[in-house]
């Protein structure tokens, strides 16, 4: 029996994780549940699952009166402490955004198995995360479906045998929209993902293709793969989750209908393949074919190229890209900027940063905070190189 801490339990990946855990009561138990603000939803989960601890990332709000009578803790530090505490064997980090970095580092420093959905941790904290993994002696299993596919196809083979990895992208809701129509995109349009049902932030990232740039950086960091060996192809039905081509010319792919429960189960149960096959998620060649692929429309979705370039340039750039993108998404969802301006917000922010190395989590936090300030208001911030 493994005790699992589910960080971001009230979200989309959190819900998928709880489904998987409910189907395997003799193997996994929800020991810790966390959310940010939605305490009523967290309270309902706690009543159902009776964990050892629940944590809210914010202070108790006015009117806080939970029905579950167990231990509640509050604040970002309590969240990171819960990730590193001995009460769990596996930490599944499904927090959204840079806010997940501290928990990622705490879980790895404590030598846990970290099942990581929070890709922003790897983008903003790449070297720090891999250092914590080596130092803590734990394990890092990807939950992102593309990276889970790569992990499954690699099956322990060394990266030196890999010729290239091809990450698939659905292309998002605007894959077929002509460029001029993109100016008219509303948040409601962008929140309508064709193949995946996900939280708002990653759904917008999928519409702009920023998500695929984050995933290229994630693959580079996770698998220690040079950027030249990572490619992206659009695959509208999201059946092939990614491909690995080996140096002998063989390509392996992992397939399945879009469901996060497959990569979640893999990350929780690895190296075992647990008995969980459900007809609706299995691949059926007749029903699910033909499998079509097309190139990414890089000129119409500039956040993809900008993000990959930020990853390649390294240092402050990926941290700033991630932070500016988070702010741009918030601004788009609140109606403050249009769909096309999302990229402008990010590109203008990146101009103020450099590839100076990120040595510590404090460094990463400083760049993140500064990039957010610039992305919110480019005029209210000192130029690059000025004192912060
Ligand atoms: P959701 O928005 O559905 O859920 C986010 C969860 O994180 C909620 O539980 C939320 O709590 C909590 N949270 C939000 N902000 C904070 C914070 N500042 N501190 C602590 N907790 C916070 O997101 P998703 O489940 O869609 O995505 C989670 C992560 O997984 C993201 O990094 C995403 O990129 C990645 N991912 C998601 C996939 C998907 O299918 N959804 C696929 C692959 C990767 P509250 O409810 O209180 O707001």
């Amino acid at each position: 029996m493994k005790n699992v801490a589910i960080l971001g339990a009230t979200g989309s990946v959190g819900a998928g994780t709880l489904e998987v855990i409910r189907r395997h009561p003799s193997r996994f138990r929800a020991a810790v549940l966390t959310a940010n603000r939605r305490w009523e939803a967290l309270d309902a989960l706690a009543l159902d699952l009776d964990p050892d601890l629940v944590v809210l990332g914010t202070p108790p709000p006015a009117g806080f009166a939970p029905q579950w009578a167990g231990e509640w803790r509050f604040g970002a530090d309590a969240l990171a402490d819960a990730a590193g505490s001995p009460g769990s064997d596996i930490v599944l980090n499904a927090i959204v955004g840079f806010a997940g970095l501290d928990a990622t580092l705490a879980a790895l420093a404590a030598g846990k198995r970290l099942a990581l959905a929070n890709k922003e941790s790897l983008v903003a904290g790449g070297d720090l995360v891999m250092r914590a993994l080596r130092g803590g002696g734990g394990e890092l299993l990807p939950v992102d479906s593309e990276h889970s596919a790569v992990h499954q196809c690699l099956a322990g083979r060394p990266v030196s045998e890999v010729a290239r990895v091809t990450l698939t992208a659905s292309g998002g809701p605007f894959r077929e929209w002509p460029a001029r129509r993109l100016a008219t995109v509303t948040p409601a349009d962008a929140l309508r993902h064709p193949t995946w049902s996900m939280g708002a932030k990653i759904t917008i990232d999928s519409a702009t293709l920023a998500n695929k740039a984050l995933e290229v950086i994630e693959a580079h960091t996770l698998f220690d793969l040079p950027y030249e060996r990572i490619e992206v192809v659009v695959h509208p039905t999201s059946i092939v989750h990614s491909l690995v081509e080996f140096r002998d010319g063989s390509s392996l792919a992992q397939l399945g209908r879009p469901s996060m429960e497959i990569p979640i189960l893999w990350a929780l149960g690895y190296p075992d393949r647990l008995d969980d096959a459900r007809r609706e998620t299995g691949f059926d060649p007749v029903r699910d074919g033909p499998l079509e692929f097309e190139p990414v429309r890089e000129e119409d979705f500039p956040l993809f190229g900008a993000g990959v370039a930020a990853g390649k340039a390294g240092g402050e750039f990926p941290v700033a890209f991630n932070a500016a993108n988070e702010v741009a998404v918030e601004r788009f969802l609140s109606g403050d900027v249009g769909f096309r301006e999302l990229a402008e917000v990010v590109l203008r922010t990146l101009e103020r940063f450099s590839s100076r190395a990120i040595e510590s989590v404090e460094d990463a936090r400083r760049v993140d905070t500064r990039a957010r300030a610039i992305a919110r208001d480019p005029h209210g911030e000192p130029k690059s190189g000025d004192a912060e």
Side-chain angles (χ1 to χ4, degrees), residues 53-374:
L53 172 67
V54 303
V55 186
L56 208 59
T58 46
F64 176 74
Q67 293 186 53
W68 183 69
E71 184 177 0
W72 286 78
R73 291 191 196 155
F74 302 91
D77 290 346
L79 233 153
D81 287 349
S85 82
S88 62
D89 308 293
I90 303 176
V91 173
L92 188 134
N93 186 351
I95 293 173
V96 62
F98 182 86
L101 178 61
D102 285 342
T104 286
L105 294 173
L108 291 173
K112 312 242 179 219
R113 168 174 295 192
L114 175 66
L116 187 61
N118 175 249
K119 61 190 89 187
E120 296 91 344
S121 290
L122 277 173
V123 171
D127 290 346
L128 307 174
V129 173
M130 298 320 274
R131 215 185 294 157
L133 171 64
R134 286 189 296 272
E139 291 174 289
L140 177 49
L141 273 295
V143 168
D144 220 352
S145 59
E146 295 78 0
H147 305 75
S148 176
V150 172
H151 187 257
Q152 294 184 52
C153 293
L154 280 174
R157 302 304 309 172
V159 151
S160 57
E161 291 182 0
V162 173
R164 64 178 169 157
V165 159
T166 304
L167 304 178
T168 53
S170 72
F174 312 125
R175 181 176 61 86
E176 293 181 300
W177 285 35
R180 63 188 143 67
R181 224 182 128 197
L182 293 175
T184 68
V185 165
T186 66
D189 296 329
L191 285 169
R192 227 173 282 125
H193 195 278
T195 53
W196 294 96
S197 162
M198 309 182 286
K201 195 261 179 180
I202 185 175
T203 305
I204 302 302
D205 284 350
S206 299
T208 63
L209 299 196
N211 181 50
K212 222 31 71 171
L214 297 175
E215 290 182 3
V216 168
I217 302 172
E218 183 184 4
H220 163 78
T221 308
L222 263 181
F223 303 115
D224 198 20
L225 264 172
Y227 281 104
E228 310 74 71
R229 286 197 262 153
I230 307 172
E231 293 181 4
V232 174
V233 69
V234 171
H235 169 49
T237 50
S238 304
I239 298 288
V240 177
H241 298 303
S242 281
L243 303 103
V244 177
E245 182 185 327
F246 290 90
R247 293 211 182 271
D248 63 1
S250 256
S251 288
L252 299 187
Q254 187 257 340
L255 287 75
R257 302 201 104 198
S259 164
M260 284 306 292
E261 292 180 23
I262 292 177
I264 290 166
L265 182 72
W266 177 251
L268 296 182
Y270 175 81
D272 298 330
R273 288 210 175 263
L274 303 183
D275 187 2
D276 196 61
R278 284 167 308 124
R279 230 177 307 150
E280 70 271 22
T281 54
F283 170 63
D284 178 323
V286 175
R287 179 193 62 186
D288 296 325
L291 301 175
E292 293 177 333
F293 302 91
E294 54 194 60
V296 175
R297 283 169 53 194
E298 291 199 34
E299 63 294 353
D300 298 327
F301 296 94
L303 279 176
F304 173 69
V308 174
K312 287 180 178 168
E316 297 176 343
F317 285 118
V319 188
F321 175 81
N322 179 68
N325 181 56
E326 286 190 33
V327 171
V329 170
E330 282 165 22
R331 292 183 62 186
F332 171 67
L333 286 174
S334 68
D336 183 29
V337 296
F339 187 74
R340 297 252 252 205
E341 291 163 281
L342 276 158
E344 285 167 30
V345 168
V346 175
L347 288 165
R348 266 202 317 266
T349 305
L350 284 172
E351 283 170 12
R352 310 274 194 96
F353 290 87
S354 76
S355 47
R356 190 170 53 190
I358 300 290
E359 306 284 0
S360 63
V361 70
E362 291 73 29
D363 267 1
R365 208 182 314 281
R366 206 164 22 245
V367 172
D368 175 82
T369 304
R370 186 164 165 251
R372 280 170 200 271
I374 297 170

